[in-house]
Amino acid sequence: MRGLLFGLMLSIALPFGAQAVEPDEILRDPALEERAREVGKQLRCVVCQNQAIDDSNAELARDMRILVRDRITKGDSNQQVIDYMVDRYGDFVLLDPPFKASTLVLWGGPGAIALFGVLAVVMLFRRRKTGGVDEVGQVVTGEQAKPLSDEERRRLDDLLKDNDA
Amino acid sequence: MKRFMYVIPFLVLVIVGGFSVKQLYRVQSGETVDKLPSVLINREIPEFELAPIQGRDRGWGSKDLLGQVTIVNIFGSWCVACQAEHPFLVKIQKEKLVPIYGIDWREKKPDAGPKWLARYGDPYTLVGDDPKSEAAIAFGVTGAPESFIVDKKGVIRYKQIGPINPTVWEETLWPLIQKLQGEPA
């Protein structure tokens, strides 16, 4: 039982621990290495395209990691290192593309589509609510539904009273 | 109004579908590639200096390109597509159409590049060694082969992703190179 639990926990933890950063790349200064990881997480591996360079085993990603460390060691700020990469590879190299005119559709698109869907659902439900059944039992939508006549209301009250008794 | 609402989903489908088909067609006809655009177009070549490959006494750097129209070609002996492209580069060099500067990218062994060139021919005016991707990253390279057409002022004017073949050469690269060779330095 305990072994099973351990295995389960391990299988959950492992994917998060997957790191491609190799021992020989790691900087001696832990503070600088920490910053290199911070930058590495934000940069896309341009070979595999959906992984951060920190998670990728591609050779180019490795060279990019080394370059990141090289520039950080030489005194670049995190932003300067990121700017250097964007300068050469474009916004594409950022795993989190920035919000600007050219990426408006990318960021706004899903939201707009979701909003459209919610609106459609709301309208559908409102129509259902105000709709009803006409004299011959046909389902009608909101605008056509008639309120109960006095006669119908009296009958309904009687029926409900009978039920209570 | 209500009728119009029913039409909207189909309208969206037609518009999105239309764009998809158009893009697919463009990719297929070779007008555009499904690859990343280079942000370096119309910008000066990045500054770098490469060491020579084993057995040569000269590498090259950004300054070597100035004053002439050049092709910068990124290759590696490990790269199969480069091998496919290579005879055509040799032909360009033999016909003296335009000087080609080579970046020997990421060789595992220092003698791999020179051996490869000895075997398949050397079309390069100068070759630099780039074992750590310094020049490759500076050029925003994502794979080999890639070629850049650089004008006399050292500005990148075109990026060719993938091998240079006779079709690309005749239709795009050669006309552009001829035009650039006519521009003042």
Side-chain angles (χ1 to χ4, degrees):
Chain A
M1 186 60 209
R2 191 178 262 192
L4 186 78
L5 204 71
F6 181 72
L8 245 160
M9 277 162 67
L10 204 66
S11 67
I12 293 167
L14 267 181
F16 295 105
Q19 275 281 354
V21 182
E22 288 160 47
D24 61 316
E25 297 169 17
I26 293 170
L27 297 173
R28 286 227 183 95
D29 183 337
L32 292 184
E33 178 62 26
E34 183 64 36
R35 281 179 48 207
R37 296 290 171 102
E38 196 58 46
V39 172
K41 264 188 281 180
Q42 296 173 56
L43 294 175
R44 184 192 304 270
C45 163
V46 290
V47 179
C48 13
Q49 305 205 348
N50 210 14
Q51 264 186 321
I53 56 169
D54 265 15
D55 303 325
S56 170
N57 293 313
E59 289 174 337
L60 185 56
R62 177 189 154 87
D63 286 347
M64 283 173 132
R65 287 196 297 271
I66 293 171
L67 187 99
V68 165
R69 281 162 178 76
D70 195 43
R71 297 195 78 88
I72 282 178
T73 314
K74 281 181 182 150
D76 270 15
S77 73
N78 290 11
Q79 195 53 48
Q80 276 172 319
V81 178
I82 289 169
D83 287 347
Y84 177 89
M85 289 296 188
V86 171
D87 210 36
R88 279 147 185 86
Y89 287 100
D91 289 336
F92 174 78
V93 81
L94 300 174
L95 270 176
D96 233 353
F99 188 84
K100 58 188 200 186
S102 58
T103 56
L104 189 70
V105 177
L106 180 71
W107 282 104
I113 290 170
L115 201 75
F116 186 75
V118 168
L119 220 73
V121 169
V122 166
M123 279 170 75
L124 194 76
F125 270 93
R126 273 174 77 185
R127 196 176 298 170
R128 285 248 175 95
K129 230 183 202 165
T130 47
V133 180
D134 69 4
E135 297 87 346
V136 284
Q138 196 123 33
V139 178
V140 291
T141 47
E143 298 88 11
Q144 294 161 290
K146 270 190 266 173
L148 295 177
S149 64
D150 290 345
E151 173 66 23
E152 283 166 337
R153 194 170 297 281
R154 226 171 289 130
R155 258 190 79 198
L156 184 66
D157 284 343
D158 282 346
L159 284 168
L160 287 173
K161 240 179 261 163
D162 280 355
N163 244 7
D164 286 342
Chain B
M1 178 61 201
K2 214 179 280 164
R3 270 228 190 109
F4 178 68
M5 293 289 290
Y6 289 120
V7 178
I8 287 177
F10 293 103
L11 220 65
V12 170
L13 191 74
V14 167
I15 291 169
V16 172
F19 271 115
S20 306
V21 168
K22 190 183 159 212
Q23 187 65 18
L24 270 176
Y25 181 75
R26 285 174 69 196
V27 168
Q28 204 146 46
S29 66
E31 185 191 329
T32 161
V33 276
D34 51 344
K35 281 168 187 150
L36 319 167
S38 177
V39 287
L40 291 171
I41 303 292
N42 293 328
R43 282 180 27 197
E44 249 171 72
I45 40 164
E47 218 162 287
F48 63 91
E49 190 69 49
L50 292 175
I53 54 171
Q54 201 179 64
R56 311 258 173 118
D57 46 355
R58 246 198 100 182
W60 65 278
S62 332
K63 288 185 195 77
D64 290 303
L65 301 182
L66 295 177
Q68 54 180 350
V69 179
T70 51
I71 294 179
V72 175
N73 177 251
I74 284 123
F75 72 100
S77 66
W78 46 268
C79 153
V80 182
C82 301
Q83 209 168 312
E85 166 188 70
H86 210 69
F88 198 75
L89 297 184
V90 172
K91 189 172 164 254
I92 292 171
Q93 189 258 342
K94 276 201 180 124
E95 291 175 18
K96 294 190 164 38
L97 300 176
V98 59
I100 307 171
Y101 285 73
I103 296 176
D104 189 7
W105 184 31
R106 253 198 162 278
E107 297 293 358
K108 290 237 166 62
K109 288 184 194 155
D111 64 343
K115 270 188 185 164
W116 193 77
L117 291 177
R119 188 168 168 193
Y120 296 105
D122 181 357
Y124 304 112
T125 306
L126 289 170
V127 185
D129 195 17
D130 191 19
K132 288 178 179 166
S133 304
E134 284 161 59
I137 294 172
F139 270 102
V141 165
T142 58
E146 277 186 25
S147 304
F148 296 84
I149 293 178
V150 182
D151 71 12
K152 292 177 183 171
K153 294 192 175 95
V155 175
I156 296 171
R157 300 295 286 268
Y158 193 83
K159 179 185 187 179
Q160 165 70 21
I161 297 174
I164 294 176
N165 57 40
T167 314
V168 177
W169 178 257
E170 287 301 329
E171 286 175 6
T172 316
L173 306 184
W174 183 228
L176 177 66
I177 289 167
Q178 281 176 306
K179 192 191 125 211
L180 295 179
Q181 281 174 339
E183 285 180 1

